[in-house]
Amino acid sequence: MSIYDHRIVAQIYDKIYNDNEDINLISDIIGDHRWKILEPMCGTGRIIKELARKGHRVFGIEKSTEMIEEARKNLAETNAEWKLVNKSALDGSWGEEYDLIILGYDALVELETAREQEMMFDFAKTSLKDNGRIFIDTLVFKEEDTIPYLCLSFEGENDYGTKAICRVSNQKNLKNQQVKVSQKLISKTVDGHRFDTVYQRISHIPSARQIRNWLIDRNFQIVHTYGDYEGRNLDDHHERAIFWAQKTVNDREE
């Protein structure tokens, strides 16, 4: 069970992550186009909700039932065409002919292994139309350093008065760029009921080089690489890597 399967986390997620810097960057790159957009591992729909408001047709895949319920509420507030599917993105069958696929804010590090992450690029290649784009935004492992990790940590309250605190209780670096993290979630309802739960997860932290190779191996043309949401070029000093790449027209199966 993931921490994202807890209802209180889903209900206050958008209050925790309410910055739109990544969405602004995506919108700036897209420009005036009106596209068919998919976000696998879309969570509460924070990104695609804003893109829907800008006139795009948006689609999302999310494994957590609690998170996708919040996403449906968020997208119902828009007048755009949208569809959400409650399943693991690793199941494949994402659909076809998308103009853009978004592997948004640290979605890749929700996965346990490099192979699982690489599978996302295979599915994206199949699901994009010719000349379709992919946007990747993730924390990365700098090979000369210890593994960085940004884990869910917050203190907040939902609309019903339930308060929650989530803290990292233990973190251990494993082999092969993996991190094992324990998170303790404490929630307390307005009538005084308290619930304590500990969640454990293993994440693979990819390097920028790995992402670049996964794209090149699938004949994506890398158009831009950024190290932050201000659009600065990616270099070895950045702990975040943002890729904008295009599926090449001549990459059809023989």
Side-chain angles (χ1 to χ4, degrees):
M1 184 176 181
S2 165
I3 194 169
Y4 299 111
D5 293 315
H6 198 290
R7 180 169 297 178
I8 185 64
V9 174
Q11 289 175 342
I12 68 176
Y13 186 87
D14 289 344
K15 297 180 181 180
I16 304 166
Y17 296 107
N18 54 13
D19 291 335
N20 285 343
E21 292 177 306
D22 53 346
I23 302 171
N24 293 337
L25 178 59
I26 295 170
S27 297
D28 288 345
I29 297 173
I30 291 175
D32 295 330
H33 298 287
R34 292 294 179 267
W35 279 350
K36 179 182 177 182
I37 299 174
L38 168 70
E39 185 184 9
M41 305 171 71
C42 68
T44 60
R46 179 184 65 88
I47 294 176
I48 54 176
K49 174 186 67 175
E50 296 303 322
L51 296 177
R53 286 175 172 168
K54 295 179 183 293
H56 300 285
R57 300 163 57 206
V58 300
F59 300 80
I61 298 172
E62 173 54 48
K63 181 179 180 180
S64 166
T65 300
E66 300 293 344
M67 296 290 275
I68 205 168
E69 284 183 3
E70 294 302 312
R72 290 191 177 107
K73 293 176 186 177
N74 286 333
L75 285 164
E77 298 173 358
T78 72
N79 294 320
E81 178 183 347
W82 58 271
K83 181 179 179 181
L84 299 174
V85 178
N86 187 193
K87 71 171 186 176
S88 170
L90 290 172
D91 291 347
S93 301
W94 290 358
E96 297 179 339
E97 295 296 304
Y98 294 106
D99 297 290
L100 172 64
I101 289 177
I102 298 172
L103 296 176
Y105 187 76
D106 291 340
L108 284 178
V109 299
E110 298 293 333
L111 301 174
E112 185 170 330
T113 67
R115 178 56 192 144
E116 288 178 338
Q117 292 169 346
E118 192 172 5
M119 287 170 62
M120 304 291 275
F121 292 78
D122 290 325
F123 298 147
K125 176 185 173 183
T126 300
S127 300
L128 283 168
K129 63 168 54 175
D130 288 339
N131 291 319
R133 278 76 164 179
I134 184 170
F135 178 88
I136 303 153
D137 173 19
T138 186
L139 183 77
V140 289
F141 167 56
K142 297 192 299 180
E143 296 177 7
E144 72 278 11
D145 296 336
T146 57
I147 297 176
Y149 190 64
L150 297 178
C151 195
L152 189 65
S153 181
F154 64 86
E155 183 171 351
E157 180 178 335
N158 69 5
D159 294 337
Y160 308 102
T162 299
K163 298 180 179 179
I165 299 175
C166 182
R167 294 289 182 262
V168 176
S169 56
N170 187 47
Q171 175 173 321
K172 181 180 180 181
N173 290 350
L174 307 177
K175 296 180 180 179
N176 301 320
Q177 299 169 217
Q178 288 180 307
V179 180
K180 183 177 182 180
V181 177
S182 296
Q183 298 165 273
K184 186 173 184 179
L185 177 66
I186 302 171
S187 60
K188 188 175 182 179
T189 63
V190 290
D191 55 4
H193 291 287
R194 173 172 165 155
F195 301 91
D196 293 23
T197 313
V198 175
Y199 296 89
Q200 290 188 335
R201 58 182 287 185
I202 295 176
S203 295
H204 178 266
I205 313 298
S207 67
R209 180 182 301 175
Q210 281 177 310
I211 296 171
R212 187 183 301 273
N213 289 340
W214 290 336
L215 289 168
I216 292 172
D217 288 347
R218 288 153 184 84
N219 292 324
F220 280 91
Q221 177 189 359
I222 299 173
V223 181
H224 295 296
T225 56
Y226 305 106
D228 57 35
Y229 300 126
E230 299 298 319
R232 297 181 182 91
N233 291 332
L234 176 66
D235 59 33
D236 294 337
H237 300 293
H238 289 107
E239 292 186 348
R240 177 161 298 281
I242 302 168
F243 286 80
W244 179 263
Q246 184 172 13
K247 179 179 175 179
T248 56
V249 176
N250 61 356
D251 189 43
R252 295 175 178 171
E253 298 292 336
E254 297 295 335

PDB file of all heavy atoms in Angstrom, residues 124-134 218-221 245-249 251:
ATOM      1  N   ALA A 124       5.509   5.426 -23.906  1.00  0.00           N
ATOM      2  CA  ALA A 124       5.356   6.771 -24.476  1.00  0.00           C
ATOM      3  C   ALA A 124       5.604   6.743 -25.980  1.00  0.00           C
ATOM      4  O   ALA A 124       4.874   7.373 -26.755  1.00  0.00           O
ATOM      5  CB  ALA A 124       6.302   7.741 -23.793  1.00  0.00           C
ATOM      6  N   LYS A 125       6.613   6.028 -26.393  1.00  0.00           N
ATOM      7  CA  LYS A 125       6.930   5.938 -27.817  1.00  0.00           C
ATOM      8  C   LYS A 125       5.751   5.355 -28.597  1.00  0.00           C
ATOM      9  O   LYS A 125       5.394   5.848 -29.677  1.00  0.00           O
ATOM     10  CB  LYS A 125       8.163   5.064 -28.018  1.00  0.00           C
ATOM     11  CG  LYS A 125       8.517   4.815 -29.469  1.00  0.00           C
ATOM     12  CD  LYS A 125       9.683   3.843 -29.566  1.00  0.00           C
ATOM     13  CE  LYS A 125       9.931   3.448 -31.013  1.00  0.00           C
ATOM     14  NZ  LYS A 125      11.018   2.440 -31.136  1.00  0.00           N
ATOM     15  N   THR A 126       5.111   4.324 -28.048  1.00  0.00           N
ATOM     16  CA  THR A 126       3.979   3.691 -28.715  1.00  0.00           C
ATOM     17  C   THR A 126       2.753   4.609 -28.749  1.00  0.00           C
ATOM     18  O   THR A 126       1.996   4.611 -29.726  1.00  0.00           O
ATOM     19  CB  THR A 126       3.613   2.385 -27.982  1.00  0.00           C
ATOM     20  OG1 THR A 126       4.734   1.506 -28.006  1.00  0.00           O
ATOM     21  CG2 THR A 126       2.427   1.702 -28.642  1.00  0.00           C
ATOM     22  N   SER A 127       2.584   5.409 -27.714  1.00  0.00           N
ATOM     23  CA  SER A 127       1.351   6.174 -27.542  1.00  0.00           C
ATOM     24  C   SER A 127       1.367   7.538 -28.220  1.00  0.00           C
ATOM     25  O   SER A 127       0.305   8.116 -28.455  1.00  0.00           O
ATOM     26  CB  SER A 127       1.058   6.361 -26.049  1.00  0.00           C
ATOM     27  OG  SER A 127       0.905   5.093 -25.416  1.00  0.00           O
ATOM     28  N   LEU A 128       2.543   8.065 -28.524  1.00  0.00           N
ATOM     29  CA  LEU A 128       2.639   9.369 -29.161  1.00  0.00           C
ATOM     30  C   LEU A 128       2.415   9.266 -30.667  1.00  0.00           C
ATOM     31  O   LEU A 128       2.797   8.289 -31.303  1.00  0.00           O
ATOM     32  CB  LEU A 128       4.012   9.992 -28.906  1.00  0.00           C
ATOM     33  CG  LEU A 128       4.257  10.591 -27.527  1.00  0.00           C
ATOM     34  CD1 LEU A 128       5.745  10.890 -27.363  1.00  0.00           C
ATOM     35  CD2 LEU A 128       3.432  11.854 -27.321  1.00  0.00           C
ATOM     36  N   LYS A 129       1.837  10.289 -31.253  1.00  0.00           N
ATOM     37  CA  LYS A 129       1.775  10.386 -32.708  1.00  0.00           C
ATOM     38  C   LYS A 129       3.155  10.764 -33.238  1.00  0.00           C
ATOM     39  O   LYS A 129       4.036  11.183 -32.480  1.00  0.00           O
ATOM     40  CB  LYS A 129       0.734  11.422 -33.129  1.00  0.00           C
ATOM     41  CG  LYS A 129       1.051  12.847 -32.663  1.00  0.00           C
ATOM     42  CD  LYS A 129       0.176  13.900 -33.325  1.00  0.00           C
ATOM     43  CE  LYS A 129      -1.289  13.633 -33.171  1.00  0.00           C
ATOM     44  NZ  LYS A 129      -2.122  14.751 -33.732  1.00  0.00           N
ATOM     45  N   ASP A 130       3.367  10.606 -34.541  1.00  0.00           N
ATOM     46  CA  ASP A 130       4.604  11.080 -35.140  1.00  0.00           C
ATOM     47  C   ASP A 130       4.765  12.567 -34.859  1.00  0.00           C
ATOM     48  O   ASP A 130       3.802  13.340 -34.962  1.00  0.00           O
ATOM     49  CB  ASP A 130       4.599  10.846 -36.653  1.00  0.00           C
ATOM     50  CG  ASP A 130       4.743   9.365 -37.004  1.00  0.00           C
ATOM     51  OD1 ASP A 130       5.225   8.607 -36.145  1.00  0.00           O
ATOM     52  OD2 ASP A 130       4.364   8.991 -38.122  1.00  0.00           O
ATOM     53  N   ASN A 131       5.946  12.942 -34.485  1.00  0.00           N
ATOM     54  CA  ASN A 131       6.266  14.321 -34.085  1.00  0.00           C
ATOM     55  C   ASN A 131       5.687  14.699 -32.724  1.00  0.00           C
ATOM     56  O   ASN A 131       5.783  15.866 -32.320  1.00  0.00           O
ATOM     57  CB  ASN A 131       5.808  15.347 -35.134  1.00  0.00           C
ATOM     58  CG  ASN A 131       6.608  15.255 -36.410  1.00  0.00           C
ATOM     59  OD1 ASN A 131       7.826  15.076 -36.364  1.00  0.00           O
ATOM     60  ND2 ASN A 131       5.944  15.369 -37.549  1.00  0.00           N
ATOM     61  N   GLY A 132       5.077  13.737 -32.008  1.00  0.00           N
ATOM     62  CA  GLY A 132       4.583  14.022 -30.674  1.00  0.00           C
ATOM     63  C   GLY A 132       5.719  14.316 -29.713  1.00  0.00           C
ATOM     64  O   GLY A 132       6.871  13.932 -29.932  1.00  0.00           O
ATOM     65  N   ARG A 133       5.400  15.011 -28.635  1.00  0.00           N
ATOM     66  CA  ARG A 133       6.410  15.433 -27.671  1.00  0.00           C
ATOM     67  C   ARG A 133       6.270  14.714 -26.334  1.00  0.00           C
ATOM     68  O   ARG A 133       5.198  14.232 -25.974  1.00  0.00           O
ATOM     69  CB  ARG A 133       6.304  16.943 -27.412  1.00  0.00           C
ATOM     70  CG  ARG A 133       6.977  17.830 -28.427  1.00  0.00           C
ATOM     71  CD  ARG A 133       6.200  17.949 -29.694  1.00  0.00           C
ATOM     72  NE  ARG A 133       6.655  19.094 -30.509  1.00  0.00           N
ATOM     73  CZ  ARG A 133       6.148  19.410 -31.677  1.00  0.00           C
ATOM     74  NH1 ARG A 133       5.150  18.700 -32.197  1.00  0.00           N
ATOM     75  NH2 ARG A 133       6.619  20.445 -32.345  1.00  0.00           N
ATOM     76  N   ILE A 134       7.377  14.696 -25.595  1.00  0.00           N
ATOM     77  CA  ILE A 134       7.372  14.176 -24.233  1.00  0.00           C
ATOM     78  C   ILE A 134       8.074  15.190 -23.332  1.00  0.00           C
ATOM     79  O   ILE A 134       9.099  15.772 -23.710  1.00  0.00           O
ATOM     80  CB  ILE A 134       8.044  12.786 -24.143  1.00  0.00           C
ATOM     81  CG1 ILE A 134       7.929  12.218 -22.722  1.00  0.00           C
ATOM     82  CG2 ILE A 134       9.497  12.822 -24.618  1.00  0.00           C
ATOM     83  CD1 ILE A 134       8.339  10.761 -22.615  1.00  0.00           C
ATOM     84  N   ARG A 218      15.361   5.288 -28.216  1.00  0.00           N
ATOM     85  CA  ARG A 218      14.033   5.158 -28.825  1.00  0.00           C
ATOM     86  C   ARG A 218      13.804   6.195 -29.924  1.00  0.00           C
ATOM     87  O   ARG A 218      12.684   6.449 -30.329  1.00  0.00           O
ATOM     88  CB  ARG A 218      12.962   5.264 -27.733  1.00  0.00           C
ATOM     89  CG  ARG A 218      12.950   3.994 -26.875  1.00  0.00           C
ATOM     90  CD  ARG A 218      12.451   4.234 -25.463  1.00  0.00           C
ATOM     91  NE  ARG A 218      12.579   2.984 -24.709  1.00  0.00           N
ATOM     92  CZ  ARG A 218      13.707   2.586 -24.109  1.00  0.00           C
ATOM     93  NH1 ARG A 218      14.800   3.326 -24.180  1.00  0.00           N
ATOM     94  NH2 ARG A 218      13.746   1.424 -23.463  1.00  0.00           N
ATOM     95  N   ASN A 219      14.904   6.746 -30.389  1.00  0.00           N
ATOM     96  CA  ASN A 219      14.900   7.695 -31.511  1.00  0.00           C
ATOM     97  C   ASN A 219      14.083   8.952 -31.247  1.00  0.00           C
ATOM     98  O   ASN A 219      13.469   9.512 -32.153  1.00  0.00           O
ATOM     99  CB  ASN A 219      14.406   7.020 -32.799  1.00  0.00           C
ATOM    100  CG  ASN A 219      15.385   5.978 -33.301  1.00  0.00           C
ATOM    101  OD1 ASN A 219      16.599   6.145 -33.183  1.00  0.00           O
ATOM    102  ND2 ASN A 219      14.859   4.889 -33.835  1.00  0.00           N
ATOM    103  N   PHE A 220      14.076   9.394 -29.992  1.00  0.00           N
ATOM    104  CA  PHE A 220      13.540  10.709 -29.692  1.00  0.00           C
ATOM    105  C   PHE A 220      14.614  11.759 -29.966  1.00  0.00           C
ATOM    106  O   PHE A 220      15.798  11.540 -29.677  1.00  0.00           O
ATOM    107  CB  PHE A 220      13.111  10.817 -28.229  1.00  0.00           C
ATOM    108  CG  PHE A 220      11.775  10.212 -27.917  1.00  0.00           C
ATOM    109  CD1 PHE A 220      11.667   8.889 -27.513  1.00  0.00           C
ATOM    110  CD2 PHE A 220      10.621  10.970 -28.013  1.00  0.00           C
ATOM    111  CE1 PHE A 220      10.438   8.328 -27.206  1.00  0.00           C
ATOM    112  CE2 PHE A 220       9.382  10.427 -27.708  1.00  0.00           C
ATOM    113  CZ  PHE A 220       9.286   9.099 -27.314  1.00  0.00           C
ATOM    114  N   GLN A 221      14.191  12.866 -30.498  1.00  0.00           N
ATOM    115  CA  GLN A 221      15.092  14.004 -30.653  1.00  0.00           C
ATOM    116  C   GLN A 221      14.952  14.899 -29.430  1.00  0.00           C
ATOM    117  O   GLN A 221      13.869  15.397 -29.133  1.00  0.00           O
ATOM    118  CB  GLN A 221      14.749  14.808 -31.913  1.00  0.00           C
ATOM    119  CG  GLN A 221      15.611  16.048 -32.078  1.00  0.00           C
ATOM    120  CD  GLN A 221      15.132  16.946 -33.204  1.00  0.00           C
ATOM    121  OE1 GLN A 221      14.150  16.615 -33.880  1.00  0.00           O
ATOM    122  NE2 GLN A 221      15.796  18.069 -33.402  1.00  0.00           N
ATOM    123  N   ALA A 245      11.413  16.486 -25.531  1.00  0.00           N
ATOM    124  CA  ALA A 245      11.894  15.700 -26.665  1.00  0.00           C
ATOM    125  C   ALA A 245      10.752  15.395 -27.620  1.00  0.00           C
ATOM    126  O   ALA A 245       9.571  15.470 -27.248  1.00  0.00           O
ATOM    127  CB  ALA A 245      12.532  14.400 -26.182  1.00  0.00           C
ATOM    128  N   GLN A 246      11.120  15.031 -28.843  1.00  0.00           N
ATOM    129  CA  GLN A 246      10.135  14.821 -29.917  1.00  0.00           C
ATOM    130  C   GLN A 246      10.340  13.464 -30.556  1.00  0.00           C
ATOM    131  O   GLN A 246      11.466  13.054 -30.846  1.00  0.00           O
ATOM    132  CB  GLN A 246      10.294  15.922 -30.974  1.00  0.00           C
ATOM    133  CG  GLN A 246       9.251  15.857 -32.083  1.00  0.00           C
ATOM    134  CD  GLN A 246       9.335  17.087 -32.992  1.00  0.00           C
ATOM    135  OE1 GLN A 246      10.303  17.844 -32.942  1.00  0.00           O
ATOM    136  NE2 GLN A 246       8.322  17.288 -33.808  1.00  0.00           N
ATOM    137  N   LYS A 247       9.231  12.752 -30.744  1.00  0.00           N
ATOM    138  CA  LYS A 247       9.269  11.479 -31.456  1.00  0.00           C
ATOM    139  C   LYS A 247       9.501  11.738 -32.945  1.00  0.00           C
ATOM    140  O   LYS A 247       8.793  12.538 -33.568  1.00  0.00           O
ATOM    141  CB  LYS A 247       7.943  10.740 -31.255  1.00  0.00           C
ATOM    142  CG  LYS A 247       7.867   9.402 -31.986  1.00  0.00           C
ATOM    143  CD  LYS A 247       6.524   8.723 -31.714  1.00  0.00           C
ATOM    144  CE  LYS A 247       6.374   7.451 -32.528  1.00  0.00           C
ATOM    145  NZ  LYS A 247       5.093   6.768 -32.264  1.00  0.00           N
ATOM    146  N   THR A 248      10.502  11.088 -33.511  1.00  0.00           N
ATOM    147  CA  THR A 248      10.857  11.349 -34.911  1.00  0.00           C
ATOM    148  C   THR A 248       9.884  10.674 -35.863  1.00  0.00           C
ATOM    149  O   THR A 248       9.370   9.584 -35.609  1.00  0.00           O
ATOM    150  CB  THR A 248      12.276  10.868 -35.208  1.00  0.00           C
ATOM    151  OG1 THR A 248      12.378   9.474 -34.864  1.00  0.00           O
ATOM    152  CG2 THR A 248      13.288  11.646 -34.398  1.00  0.00           C
ATOM    153  N   VAL A 249       9.648  11.333 -37.004  1.00  0.00           N
ATOM    154  CA  VAL A 249       8.679  10.853 -37.980  1.00  0.00           C
ATOM    155  C   VAL A 249       9.110   9.544 -38.607  1.00  0.00           C
ATOM    156  O   VAL A 249       8.304   8.669 -38.877  1.00  0.00           O
ATOM    157  CB  VAL A 249       8.479  11.923 -39.089  1.00  0.00           C
ATOM    158  CG1 VAL A 249       7.536  11.405 -40.171  1.00  0.00           C
ATOM    159  CG2 VAL A 249       7.934  13.196 -38.478  1.00  0.00           C
ATOM    160  N   ASP A 251      10.445   7.007 -37.449  1.00  0.00           N
ATOM    161  CA  ASP A 251      10.648   5.919 -36.500  1.00  0.00           C
ATOM    162  C   ASP A 251       9.516   4.913 -36.537  1.00  0.00           C
ATOM    163  O   ASP A 251       9.244   4.200 -35.608  1.00  0.00           O
ATOM    164  CB  ASP A 251      10.797   6.473 -35.073  1.00  0.00           C
ATOM    165  CG  ASP A 251      11.218   5.403 -34.084  1.00  0.00           C
ATOM    166  OD1 ASP A 251      12.104   4.614 -34.459  1.00  0.00           O
ATOM    167  OD2 ASP A 251      10.659   5.347 -32.988  1.00  0.00           O
TER     168      ASP A 251
END
